[in-house]
Amino acid sequence: MGSRWSCTLVFNFLSALIITTLLTGATVEVETATVTGLPLHTDSRWIVNRDGRRVKLACVNWVSHLEVVVAEGLSKQPVDVISKGIKSMGFNCVRFTWPTLLATNDSLASLTVRRSFQNLGLLEAIAGVQTNNPSFIDIPLIQAFQAVVKSLGGNDVMVILDNHITQPGWCCGNTDGNGFFGDKFLDPNVWILGLTRMATLFNGVTNVVGMSLRNELRGPKQNVNDWYRYMVKGAEAVHAANPDVLVILSGLNFDADLSFIRDRPVILTFKGKLVFEVHRYGFTDGQAWVNGNPNEVCGKVTGNVRKTSGFLVDQGWPLFLSEFGGDLRGTNVNDNRYLNCFLALVAELDLEWAHWTLVGSYYFREGVIGMEEFYGLLTWDWTQVRNINFLNRISSLQLPFRGPGIIDGFPYQLIFHPLTGLCVIRSESGPNTLTLGPCSFSDGWKYTPQKTILIDGTNFCIRAEKVGQPASLSTTCSDPNSKWEMISDSKLHLSSKLSDGSNVCLDVDDNNIVTGACKCLSKDNKCDPASQWFKLIDSGKRPIPTTSTLSMLNSPDPLWKPLSSI
């Protein structure tokens, strides 16, 4: 281990291989393992397999609800190559979107893939599908949908079927007629019929582990009483048709608000299958991240998320962050700041999640042929990862930090750095120095009532020395520069006081842990404090191997190999 971890992930769908470079001359090859014990059920706030072991949903959204009603990307790559690529990127499931009419309108469901493309004049896409997926081109749309699910299952990828919209097309707007029960395109009876048919169609398909009842309820007609009336009916209909699947309920206001459930629980005739879902993006709060101080905005937004949905985990319900993401070109300040903050919350709560989106480009979206998706993990031609650093960054969140069957021995804490997705570990470049590295390489930490940060089971604590100098490990842990406060509105700065009375914060310099003047604590909206943001998260020693997810690595983090061994 050196002083710098350089995370580079090389991805090419032609080989469906992920190699992550961590050191000069060091690589990692991702291995996956299949979980047994499906179907899934819930145990308090956790999703678990038949043996009671936690299965963390680490998913990516794959779009199939637009006008063509065909899974995006089939004109660019063979379906099995895409499925293998999803698995090799470390995801264990896909949130697979579908429009209600695919299940309720027999004329649409029986339309061939070729005819669906022809109806939109997408001749180039037809040629692409004929080349890459010839078995798809003349089958009905509903069979094409089933074939994608089968491909994912054949590659050990779980599927959550997401009823995204009624009529095929882009989602979502307040006045698009798809927002809430009673809107022009959201007849509750048709919706329940669609859910029932889809649940029945996939009854017995073991990799279909959940159904998300409706995406982003919204609009002027939304109200709590009708939410309970119809969502309960939908949940009961799905469970009656397919009792194996998790039943996933979204909230109001574009699925940003589940606060009404705090004092009015959902009452169903079945148990052990109910999951709630929430969405959050940088744009959920407009341009607040650009216009405001990052610490102040982070504190406000995370506080709001805890009040509107995060409380559910404390009440004993699984919470699935089924959409989040940002512009992966890396140039959107609003999205960058949001992700730096929000990933800390996702790690702290150890949420189930699904990134929006896999898609690099669309056949046809909002009148545009071949529109590029800058939130997509893949490039326009579906051959490369758009932002390698981001994919590495979220890899640590693909593994469970805790939960039934995950931790051996006593729990401890990790010091998570959301900007990199790495954790604070002991460095090999010096006996008492610290660096960033994979979270599985970390010793356990303990934040004590005396506000020291100790290596669990030892007398070694983190100590501030001088501004700009490395933080050190020391057994002198009673003086002020060995005590750390979580400061700023974000509560992501770890601050200590030097002997001269000045305050410093933990920071990162070339992946080494140093102390520096605390950045951007309030008011200033121009500076970026992300290098100084750390989060103490509850975890523990994770056993090797683990089968807690369908696409879990054989070790708690990737297996490091020298370049020459690949």
Side-chain angles (χ1 to χ4, degrees), residues 343-361:
L343 292 181
L345 182 66
V346 176
E348 179 192 3
L349 298 181
D350 203 7
L351 297 178
E352 327 295 325
W353 54 268
H355 178 264
W356 185 275
T357 173
L358 174 71
V359 173
S361 58

Side-chain angles (χ1 to χ4, degrees), residues 44-117:
S44 183
R45 64 147 296 184
W46 309 109
I47 295 171
V48 298
N49 65 11
R50 191 170 56 239
D51 300 323
R53 185 179 180 82
R54 185 185 177 189
V55 174
K56 181 175 181 176
L57 301 179
C59 314
V60 65
N61 281 273
W62 192 353
V63 173
S64 189
H65 67 272
L66 299 190
E67 284 87 347
V68 181
V69 202
V70 174
E72 302 291 338
L74 299 187
S75 64
K76 307 291 187 185
Q77 295 288 349
V79 64
D80 278 344
V81 169
I82 298 174
S83 296
K84 285 181 172 68
I86 290 168
K87 180 183 179 183
S88 68
M89 286 189 287
F91 297 101
N92 64 16
C93 80
V94 161
R95 182 176 180 251
F96 196 32
T97 67
W98 60 280
T100 303
L101 293 186
L102 180 62
T104 61
N105 186 311
D106 293 338
S107 296
L108 177 64
S110 62
L111 192 70
T112 67
V113 170
R114 183 190 302 274
R115 178 58 65 183
S116 184
F117 281 109

